Amino acid sequence: MELSCRQRFLSGVLEEGIAGQLSPAQVTRPDIRVTVENDVATFDTSGWDVLTRNAWRRPGQVVVRDACSSGLDLLVATGGPGLEILARWRPPPAGRVAAAVLRSRSRLLIRAVLLQYPALWWGQQHGRAPLHVSVCSLGTDHGRSVLIAGPGGIGKSTIVNAELERGAVATSDNLCLSDGHTAWGVLEPRRVPAGESGSSRGRRMPHDRREAPWQGRADELVPGLVLVLRRGTEKTWSLAPCEPDQAAKSLVAGTYMAGELRRYWAFASTLAFGTGVGEVHPGVDQVARTLTARLPCWELTRGQRPVPPLASFFTQTLAGDGAER
């Protein structure tokens, strides 16, 4: 069957978001199934209970109109073994104009609603919580991994990209799920500053970045160290101990401040309250405090020099209380 322009557009957005990162097992045994329908009609909610503005429910199902202002109508069902989502792209006139003018923003929002937010919410039903952090191995030592916390724009992706160049693996750019022990990456293309290697052909993204293919991605890693990233004014990068409570606050605050998750909290609460499945609020604070209570916590202050290898700091932590690079 020939795909419509609408389906081709949404299929392209999904393919870019997955970026060839799914394993054969994930393709053949999915626990989340998203179907994009070639239909511009609203979902029939006759006889459904009104949940809130533009949302309706009946046992095990929720319909959300213009979810997260993406132009997508969703029918979400939880009655089967996995999560089933039917999607119809029917943006209002203002949404069509915004999608045409702000193409990068529109694609990121559609990708979040169709891929990332469902994965995050379904992960919550398995005892995990979303975190806006980066998790990577220490260079080529894939047996030791570090969880990097800090607000958006502080340089987590910069560190991860530098470690990837040194042979490391990472779970994702800056979005993952964790149960307090393991970190599972959320599928998303890598984003690098425009002009860096691998970015010339990538799609332009906000904040003067472009998307680039992954070179060393792991579905999951078990961090052995928490690094709280801070801005500094000195030339050198410096490392100092960090109190677990302060590290946990940094993880939680960075997650709630993240632009990528700004619309997620309403999305998750609507699905949980509407379907009756799971908690209406993810256990972000609990997971953050579990991580910081069981792992060594350090504060890494950025310097003006290029990013030094994280392994050099990690080795130093075994011998003393601080280091500079």
Side-chain angles (χ1 to χ4, degrees), residues 134-151:
S134 297
V135 184
C136 67
S137 67
L138 293 164
T140 56
D141 187 353
H142 297 176
R144 296 191 296 181
S145 301
V146 58
L147 183 148
I148 308 169

Side-chain angles (χ1 to χ4, degrees), residues 190-264:
R190 193 164 60 103
R191 287 189 280 274
V192 300
E196 278 196 9
S197 174
S199 71
S200 58
R201 296 184 180 180
R203 184 173 295 279
R204 188 183 298 275
M205 288 288 117
H207 310 300
D208 195 30
R209 297 196 293 176
R210 285 186 178 272
E211 294 184 338
W214 277 92
Q215 52 180 58
R217 183 185 174 276
D219 287 335
E220 62 185 73
L221 290 171
V222 177
L225 186 72
V226 173
L227 277 184
V228 177
L229 191 57
R230 306 288 188 195
R231 286 187 173 88
T233 58
E234 302 297 327
K235 290 184 177 181
T236 58
W237 293 61
S238 61
L239 186 72
C242 181
E243 290 295 326
D245 181 68
Q246 188 59 39
K249 288 180 179 178
S250 182
L251 264 69
V252 175
T255 297
Y256 282 109
M257 290 191 293
E260 295 93 328
L261 295 172
R262 182 163 58 90
R263 293 176 172 84
Y264 174 70

Side-chain angles (χ1 to χ4, degrees), residues 16-19 21 108 111 116 156-165 168-174 186-193 196-199 202-203 205 209-217:
E16 288 178 353
I18 295 172
Q21 300 169 55
L108 287 174
R111 188 185 297 168
Q116 296 167 352
K156 297 188 297 294
S157 297
T158 300
I159 292 178
V160 168
N161 287 327
E163 289 299 302
L164 290 173
E165 292 293 333
V169 294
T171 58
S172 63
D173 188 64
N174 54 23
V186 176
L187 285 178
E188 56 179 341
R190 193 164 60 103
R191 287 189 280 274
V192 300
E196 278 196 9
S197 174
S199 71
R203 184 173 295 279
M205 288 288 117
R209 297 196 293 176
R210 285 186 178 272
E211 294 184 338
W214 277 92
Q215 52 180 58
R217 183 185 174 276

Side-chain angles (χ1 to χ4, degrees), residues 4-73:
S4 68
C5 292
R6 179 182 295 103
Q7 286 178 309
R8 285 198 296 270
F9 169 70
L10 294 178
S11 296
V13 173
L14 291 174
E15 289 173 3
E16 288 178 353
I18 295 172
Q21 300 169 55
L22 290 179
S23 67
Q26 290 171 320
V27 173
T28 57
R29 296 192 300 274
D31 55 1
I32 302 172
R33 190 180 303 274
V34 178
T35 303
V36 178
E37 296 186 330
N38 184 26
D39 199 329
V40 295
T42 60
F43 288 109
D44 184 6
T45 55
S46 302
W48 293 47
D49 295 331
V50 176
L51 177 61
T52 185
R53 186 179 292 110
N54 291 327
W56 298 261
R57 69 176 175 182
R58 65 183 182 187
Q61 291 184 310
V62 170
V63 164
V64 183
R65 186 174 297 167
D66 194 17
C68 304
S69 301
S70 66
L72 290 161
D73 287 7

Side-chain angles (χ1 to χ4, degrees), residues 265-296:
W265 314 115
F267 178 92
S269 296
T270 300
L271 265 56
F273 190 49
T275 62
V277 174
E279 299 295 329
V280 296
H281 192 274
V284 175
D285 186 76
Q286 178 182 352
V287 167
R289 294 191 178 280
T290 299
L291 284 165
T292 56
R294 55 176 289 270
L295 297 177

